């Protein structure tokens, strides 16, 4: 686990590797949304929010990273474990109860509504007990939806990229994204240690860098999802 929060998170590092050095524009390769999902999982692991073993998430630690997209996805993961949804089998939620009393949000005021809510949680727990645990490939797919858009907008807010919004032929909205001076240089300086290894192996899945190390479980899951999508299209 890193002792201090990084200047850039892994998903941000990954997106800035997509910057064309000549034009400073972001040129996203195919399937980059899957690579970003893997980068989120790697960031959560590096920051101690999740533990990965046997190609699945085995423990979840609710915390705040201070990065809105990753925090939102971690919140979804916490709720998934908390409510006992299918796939949460054997995943431990550290620091919070996994029963109805620990579910975030206001408790229903009426006794009948509380009983219904508790019954729903119990039903989910029963299903989860019989369902196989989610593999990392499933989490990559779940996290991938519109992730490139969410991160570009988040990075615009952080001042890492600038959006240029216009309309093609005056009708079709179109946005191009440009790295602000100095931000792409941060990514190309490349982190070292486990963070750098995660970045290299995940970036290699979409051709942003050449594979130089054996892929860990997260990068392997990203590759498996990408290959599955390619087969579907063939």
């Amino acid at each position: 686990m890193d002792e201090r929060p990084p200047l850039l998170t892994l998903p941000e590092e990954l997106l800035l590797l997509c910057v064309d050095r000549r034009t400073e524009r972001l040129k996203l390769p195919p399937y980059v949304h899957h690579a970003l999902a893997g980068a989120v999982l790697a960031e959560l692991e590096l920051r101690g929010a999740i533990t990965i073993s046997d190609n699945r998430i085995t423990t979840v630690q609710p915390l705040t990273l201070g990065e809105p997209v990753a925090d939102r996805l971690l919140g979804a993961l916490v709720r998934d474990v908390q409510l006992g949804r299918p796939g949460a089998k054997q995943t431990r939620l550290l620091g919070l109860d996994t029963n109805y009393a620990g579910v975030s949000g206001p408790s229903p005021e009426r006794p009948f509504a509380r009983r219904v809510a508790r019954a729903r949680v119990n039903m989910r727990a029963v299903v989860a007990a019989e369902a196989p645990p989610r593999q990392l490939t499933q989490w990559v797919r779940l996290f991938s939806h519109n992730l490139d858009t969410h991160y570009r907008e988040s990075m615009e807010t952080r001042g890492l990229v600038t959006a240029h919004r216009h309309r093609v032929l005056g009708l079709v909205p179109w946005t191009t994204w440009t790295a602000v001076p100095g931000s792409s240089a941060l990514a190309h300086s490349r982190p070292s240690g486990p963070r750098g290894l995660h970045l290299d192996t995940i970036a290699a899945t979409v051709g942003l860098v050449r594979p130089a190390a054996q892929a860990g479980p997260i990068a392997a899951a990203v590759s498996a999802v990408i290959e599955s999508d390619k087969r579907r299209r063939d």
Side-chain angles (χ1 to χ4, degrees):
M1 174 180 171
D2 287 0
E3 293 182 358
R4 294 182 301 171
L7 183 61
L8 296 173
T9 64
L10 280 175
E12 291 168 341
E13 298 256 18
L14 184 71
L15 269 184
L16 290 177
L17 285 177
C18 300
V19 173
D20 184 302
R21 287 295 193 94
R22 184 176 58 86
T23 64
E24 291 297 307
R25 287 186 176 181
L26 268 67
K27 297 180 65 176
L28 303 187
Y31 308 109
V32 72
H33 56 300
H34 292 323
L36 282 169
V40 171
L41 289 170
E43 186 69 37
L44 295 178
E45 183 183 37
L46 287 167
R47 304 279 282 274
I50 63 174
T51 303
I52 293 173
S53 179
D54 297 327
N55 293 313
R56 64 184 182 85
I57 298 172
T58 53
T59 61
V60 180
Q61 173 71 66
L63 49 80
T64 300
L65 303 184
E67 193 271 88
V69 182
D71 282 339
R72 176 175 56 81
L73 293 175
L74 178 59
L77 178 56
V78 168
R79 288 190 297 273
D80 189 275
V81 178
Q82 217 171 7
L83 295 176
R85 290 176 181 169
K89 179 183 178 183
Q90 298 178 351
T91 301
R92 294 177 57 222
L93 182 64
L94 304 179
L96 289 176
D97 294 332
T98 54
N99 56 20
Y100 173 73
V103 176
S104 59
S107 174
E109 294 182 359
R110 297 181 179 180
F112 178 73
R114 289 198 296 270
R115 288 196 297 271
V116 170
R118 189 175 293 109
R120 287 176 177 171
V121 172
N122 290 337
M123 289 171 61
R124 286 173 174 172
V126 170
V127 175
E130 300 300 326
R134 282 197 181 113
Q135 299 295 307
L136 285 179
T137 51
Q138 293 172 288
W139 289 116
V140 168
R141 286 201 180 279
L142 286 170
F143 281 6
S144 292
H145 184 64
N146 285 335
L147 202 52
D148 52 337
T149 299
H150 295 320
Y151 262 107
R152 280 178 288 183
E153 292 173 347
S154 174
M155 290 169 69
E156 180 186 19
T157 301
R158 284 196 62 188
L160 295 170
V161 298
T162 301
H164 306 277
R165 298 176 174 87
H166 53 277
R167 291 182 178 271
V168 177
L169 300 177
L171 297 173
V172 181
W174 188 260
T175 304
T176 56
W177 302 82
T178 304
V180 302
S183 63
S184 61
L186 286 173
H188 286 282
S189 65
R190 315 290 286 279
S192 59
R195 179 169 292 275
L197 182 61
H198 272 301
L199 178 61
D200 285 347
T201 55
I202 294 172
T205 64
V206 287
L208 292 173
V209 301
R210 292 183 178 180
Q214 183 176 359
I218 295 176
V222 172
S223 293
V225 172
I226 291 173
E227 290 302 317
S228 175
D229 282 3
K230 288 180 178 178
R231 288 194 297 270
R232 291 179 183 179
R233 294 190 174 188
D234 292 342

